[in-house]
Amino acid sequence: MIPRQFRLLPEHLYPSDEWSIIERSYSDTWMGNAETIFSVGNGFLGVRGTFEEGRPTIEAGTFCNGFHETWQIVHAEEAYGFARTGQTMVNVPDATVIKLYVDDEPLYLPTARLTSYERRLDFKTGVLQRELTWSSPAGKQVTIRSRRLVSFEHRHVSAVEYEVVLDTDAPVVLSSQLLNRQDARATDEPGNGNGKSDPRRAKGFTQRVLNARDHINQDQRVVTGYRTTNSRMTLGVGMDHILETENQWFAENSWSQDLSKVVFTIEAKAGVPIRLTKFATYHTSRSVPAIELVDRSMRTLDRTMREGYASIETAQREYLSRFWERADIVVGAEPRVQQAVRWNIFQLCQASARAETTGIPAKGLTGQAYEGHYFWDTEIYVAPFLTYTESRITRNLLRFRHSMLNPARERAKELSEPGALFPWRTINGEEASSYYAAGTAQYHINADIAYAIKSYVAIRGDSDLLAEVGAEILVETARLWAGLGFFGPESGSFHIHGVTGPDEYTTVVNDNTFTNLMARENLRYAAEVVEWLKEHRPDAYRHLVHETKLKNDEVVYWRRAAESMYIPYDKERGIHPQDENFLEKEVWDFANTPVARYPLLLHYHPLVIYRHQVIKQADVVLAMVLLGDQFSIEQKRRNFDYYDPLTTGDSSLSACVQAILAAEIGYADKALEYFQYALLMDLADVAGNTVDGVHIASTGGVWMVLTYGFGGMRDFHGKLSFAPRIPESWSTLEFSLRFHGRTLQMVFNHEEYSFELQEGEPITIEVCGKELYLDHREAVKVPACVHDARDGCVEKQHQQPTLEEGLPPC
Amino acid sequence: MIPRQFRLLPEHLYPSDEWSIIERSYSDTWMGNAETIFSVGNGFLGVRGTFEEGRPTIEAGTFCNGFHETWQIVHAEEAYGFARTGQTMVNVPDATVIKLYVDDEPLYLPTARLTSYERRLDFKTGVLQRELTWSSPAGKQVTIRSRRLVSFEHRHVSAVEYEVVLDTDAPVVLSSQLLNRQDARATDEPGNGNGKSDPRRAKGFTQRVLNARDHINQDQRVVTGYRTTNSRMTLGVGMDHILETENQWFAENSWSQDLSKVVFTIEAKAGVPIRLTKFATYHTSRSVPAIELVDRSMRTLDRTMREGYASIETAQREYLSRFWERADIVVGAEPRVQQAVRWNIFQLCQASARAETTGIPAKGLTGQAYEGHYFWDTEIYVAPFLTYTESRITRNLLRFRHSMLNPARERAKELSEPGALFPWRTINGEEASSYYAAGTAQYHINADIAYAIKSYVAIRGDSDLLAEVGAEILVETARLWAGLGFFGPESGSFHIHGVTGPDEYTTVVNDNTFTNLMARENLRYAAEVVEWLKEHRPDAYRHLVHETKLKNDEVVYWRRAAESMYIPYDKERGIHPQDENFLEKEVWDFANTPVARYPLLLHYHPLVIYRHQVIKQADVVLAMVLLGDQFSIEQKRRNFDYYDPLTTGDSSLSACVQAILAAEIGYADKALEYFQYALLMDLADVAGNTVDGVHIASTGGVWMVLTYGFGGMRDFHGKLSFAPRIPESWSTLEFSLRFHGRTLQMVFNHEEYSFELQEGEPITIEVCGKELYLDHREAVKVPACVHDARDGCVEKQHQQPTLEEGLPPC
């Protein structure tokens, strides 16, 4: 990988803390990144870490998962089947804003004299809190404490508690707002963003997005029902308030389509605290009228007002306590590493916890970049974490994919294929990728989904999902492969041409190794599941046959295609070419490419990139991680040695994968180096665009490096195995997994490994190639693995043959 | 090729005539096609064959070559180096409109009772004339004769003569207009087009294009100076009139930005003719202010008013008489074939005659489709005709390419290459192709231009062009190839990857045979010319070295690259794969592709098309025509046999090329079949889009089939040879060529061939493999060739080796 620059958060401003991320001073420089890093969310609702005062801000944003506006994609040159429907997650009205005026002077952080300041996002409480003392222009000391959360327990609720105390009497105004920034942006409302317009970020709509259809403003409550202009989705947004103070005060509300307010005017006395609690609620729908969502918002506000802020915060803490029990990873490294590890895991929680009937956007709900679209990131980078810690969420995500099967069938038809082709990027199920070479051509999305289904079933040890929705997805995805590929007239091998693999610096190629391997897996598993269903779930089988009009000979064909799948292999070099013609290309001139010209995609025409051996992100290397049982350790090392110098890491999906494989083949230094890129992707702005939102796939990747990479955990064929490779500089690595209804707790150090079965039936796992029986008596300790001369060769060979014969089995 | 449907012009409406195209009745059905077919133009100014009455019309259009508006290309997904500047030829104000009112009733052809009607475009006079009798609603007989021309002699002038005679007294109004349809279209002026909006046609601007800057209206003259909004080009347009009649009349003028009028009100007496002559003039510029073009327009109108219509028509006739002397081809076939042949050649004249300091748009000046862009069509499809009949025009076109060398150098830089890369499509020199896979990736444009330079020099026998501009183009294009290609580390062969050849159904491939062969030619010729210049034109050489900073070792490298050029060859099949991986692809399922799904590009996603063996247009077959001396006749036949069934002919550039090669290898029926597709491309609407304008490349292709194909003419290595293959059903084929300052006249029939040297020094040519000496004494007659068992093998082998050894020389 090309060495990247870390733009580390300076320790004096952002000190280490194992359970929170802290900001010690207001900073213009770091504001954009901090807005992302201090985001709070619950997988349905997300709020960027902007200040309560509403400004300044680089990219303020509040998002409801799946709530999007559509627009017609206009192609500079049209062609048949190009994506037509643009989809962009809407920046919904911002309910965080509480403007403070003392003596009619606003608190404006960039110019305010702050005698103390701390902001903290606490991973245990799930609360973003801030405490500061403002020495006002008139010399008054104003102490402000605020707390903000998006509730994990109450899916539709966010809340702010804002407390002000003065050392002198003064008139105080708190203007609590609900600000529609999405449309205010178009109308150029001042103080709204810094005017940057980078086309990679999100669609700047030229027309109004949110149209108010109904509203209620009574007392300290304002609720608005909106409908979007094109997608006709509806949104209910509301806020309500509780002001607690011994001071004299009164409140007034006002409503307008883009800015509603409840303004509190307070005669503040010295030392008499003012505490404003603000609840906000968001409801969205594809079908229900706005007025109905206004109603739902009213009921939600009623309930939260009854419960009160303290109770919601308690529930928040309890939720997270359960989360960390399942998901925490303890590393025996410096606190900064532990902090970063927990920040990444916390992001996974915030992106997924309440993502029900939706997917997980590439940036979670922390930014509008990538338009809030769902990619393969979910199935390949996030699902492993979820399945091992809270498989219910994986099931929801796979059920959501199933709900998009009909548009995927339509899309396959447009692409002249049978079955279903899932969109490369989407919110509503339609393909939204407007550049097919690095979009629709990534047919592997189909196999990625099938892979996630297989993993879910294998890790959970539960086949219900197959009968419910999995089998139907498997049938339709297998059909796509059967139609797309063909048997070479001479070789008799099954080929898949004209596809793009994970590496987007090499597009529309023949027989991409990753794609062919994953498609083979898809075909095999589909056949296996259909036969299993026939035998064990005859009713579900009949239902499946009815729904899909499945024919017996199709399954036979899938097996034949899978067994004949062509896998490129270069005997001379002993490596798997990324695709059939990859090795024939000219090697990129890395020596003469200045660091400033990365990422290459911003500095070279696609034609230049595509005709060279240069890789954006792990491709064959990813195949060796996902399908690691199908490669010998020697192949892994040779492939890694070949591809590693060609890989720019211009994608955030790469470093974690490279780290896992590097660990497996015994390249400890590289493993740690790549782990750090993944770990600090956002915290040290490795990709240079932290401001646009969290790289959720990379946060999932961090979990994978810790468990698969350093923990050496593998789960091929439903069997759990470990061959830990803890970094030299770390003392321990502790994590927990749920597997087949069991809870396992692992503690690894350089001397010994401890395995504890905390819940569930006894189980035999494999450690460093040896079987280990676990029951409830106590933690079982075994000495640390000794990696032999063929370093990394710790797993036994499974039934499946390696791809190429002639190489000695591992 | 996939059989196409002819939509033949019905004989009773469009009868045969060897020297003109005739319309016998007003027809709604054929109106759109007729607008294209009856276009008049001179290569600078073109006017579609719409009616003087101004409506109805399908696509009215008046165009000045190179006069364009620019706009920003917005890509659905941006990437580095994508084309930025859209360029669209403007529909300039229409000066053909003369509306006729009798008794205040307008003449409107669709509803008028016409007792006689004939429209005729005469290839000898270059005049579009119409004669009709209108039986008015009031029962009056109105006889109208009109004549329209765009002058070959006066580059900036068009003229209309409009004559009316009535059988009864009546008030008559003639409203002569200058109508800005480009902007009226945007404002939805009624009666302007039929509302169709096909994105392939032309850019519908959303903003005003032509802004009036100055105008003069005095008496019967109106002149307006415009400037375009974005490209800042200027246009002067004017009209002036002469009314000749014994009747009482008066005239009034009026001006507005989009519609100027001179209205003649006449008290017409029975039998007293009214003749209105209308002159129009168009001047364009990139740099001169509009007011200056108003001035030029005034002077042009002054001059044409002095000369008068009759004198301009005489000059027109004389110009064409000289043209036909050089360019006519007489075929001993039914008159309909002769008519079509002459119509095609006449289009070549109309597209090129006065194309000075511009290129030739894909549709000439007969339509706004393809935005009026210049493609490789000029160099490969039109230049042969021009070079053999009026090489001065080829020289202008190549000098025009040279004028675009600087933007081409910039473009090469953007594509990370040295030298120059000419745009795939352009008006102003910048790349305007917004889909790189079938645009910028067609690097072969560079070699096509080099090929045209070489051909020009070889046919004219004159090297001045090289010293003037040719060498500089050759150096910069050769440099591009040297940078783009690379020596394979193992084979040592020179490879060119990531390019698209002529066939746009197969894109971004490695080692496209056509491209590699043409690039080799480019490299070789550049080296040759540099060395020739050094020896014979030392001043020009010094100038070249100064301008291009040429190094000696570059030339050495070009030679080495050329000699090591990798040319794909499949030994087993004995054919040249279209590219390195073409034969590995799945063959398109032609059997299950209904005729209605052609052209495929309108019915299949590019990914589907690209991954199959299916060809839009001749690719290897074109290489075998352009570089026919580099293939043995056996190779030609095997290649043709392989590619012919895969070729859809979805491009109009294909049929003519296939015809030439079919003729050469003795496939007489196919040759004639493909010739007919080319010949009738527009006249029988083979491509289904005649309405959008004439396929100029195909008209050039018709000339090529007649000379290269049926005439068996070849000119490799500066030697002229013939091996005629006249279609069975034809009695004769006669044509004339200019070659090395000589004029040669050929008359071929099935018994003998006659060659006459009409001008210039004696010359030795080759006929059916035997040398033939021609001097001025008289036509030399030789018996017709007998094609031997290896049918078609009539040429001697030249020095250059065939591409692949082992095959017997021809």
Side-chain angles (χ1 to χ4, degrees), chain A residues 13 38 63 76 99 153 259 278 304 315 347 425 432 503 515 548 559 608 617 632 635 673 684 689 708 753 790 799-800:
Chain A
L13 295 182
F38 288 90
F63 308 105
K99 298 201 174 192
E153 200 62 38
L259 180 59
K278 174 180 189 177
T304 50
Q347 294 310 318
R425 52 191 294 178
D503 167 27
T515 304
T548 63
R559 284 210 186 276
V608 179
Q617 64 197 93
S632 72
Q635 285 174 341
E673 183 193 344
N689 57 358
Y708 292 104
Y753 307 147
R790 288 207 318 249
Q799 312 83 305
Q800 291 204 1

Side-chain angles (χ1 to χ4, degrees), chain A residues 104-165:
Chain A
D104 291 344
E105 292 298 325
L107 169 57
Y108 182 60
L109 297 185
T111 53
R113 185 169 164 244
L114 303 177
T115 52
S116 75
Y117 177 100
E118 189 188 88
R119 195 152 63 131
R120 177 190 293 258
L121 174 58
D122 187 316
F123 310 144
K124 276 184 171 166
T125 61
V127 172
L128 173 63
Q129 61 202 73
R130 192 186 66 179
E131 206 171 317
L132 61 83
T133 311
W134 170 31
S135 182
S136 85
K140 296 179 186 170
Q141 300 298 311
V142 187
T143 305
I144 301 158
R145 287 187 203 86
S146 67
R147 304 175 70 77
R148 177 197 296 178
L149 60 80
V150 171
S151 173
F152 289 112
E153 200 62 38
H154 301 277
R155 188 168 183 247
H156 300 274
V157 171
S158 70
V160 183
E161 201 183 55
Y162 196 86
E163 229 182 278
V164 185
V165 190

